[in-house]
mmCIF file of all heavy atoms in Angstrom:
data_model
loop_
_atom_site.group_PDB
_atom_site.id
_atom_site.type_symbol
_atom_site.label_atom_id
_atom_site.label_comp_id
_atom_site.label_asym_id
_atom_site.label_seq_id
_atom_site.Cartn_x
_atom_site.Cartn_y
_atom_site.Cartn_z
ATOM 1 N N ALA A 34 -0.267 13.036 -8.209
ATOM 2 C CA ALA A 34 -1.212 12.571 -9.227
ATOM 3 C C ALA A 34 -0.908 13.255 -10.551
ATOM 4 O O ALA A 34 -0.729 14.479 -10.597
ATOM 5 C CB ALA A 34 -2.645 12.883 -8.791
ATOM 6 N N LYS A 104 -0.003 8.430 -9.031
ATOM 7 C CA LYS A 104 -1.367 8.075 -9.399
ATOM 8 C C LYS A 104 -1.716 8.657 -10.766
ATOM 9 O O LYS A 104 -1.346 9.786 -11.071
ATOM 10 C CB LYS A 104 -2.357 8.589 -8.344
ATOM 11 C CG LYS A 104 -3.822 8.222 -8.604
ATOM 12 C CD LYS A 104 -4.682 8.441 -7.368
ATOM 13 C CE LYS A 104 -4.866 9.902 -7.056
ATOM 14 N NZ LYS A 104 -5.725 10.584 -8.061
ATOM 15 N N GLY A 240 -21.838 15.631 9.178
ATOM 16 C CA GLY A 240 -22.608 16.451 10.099
ATOM 17 C C GLY A 240 -23.980 15.898 10.452
ATOM 18 O O GLY A 240 -24.232 14.689 10.400
#
Side-chain angles (χ1 to χ4, degrees):
K104 182 165 70 70

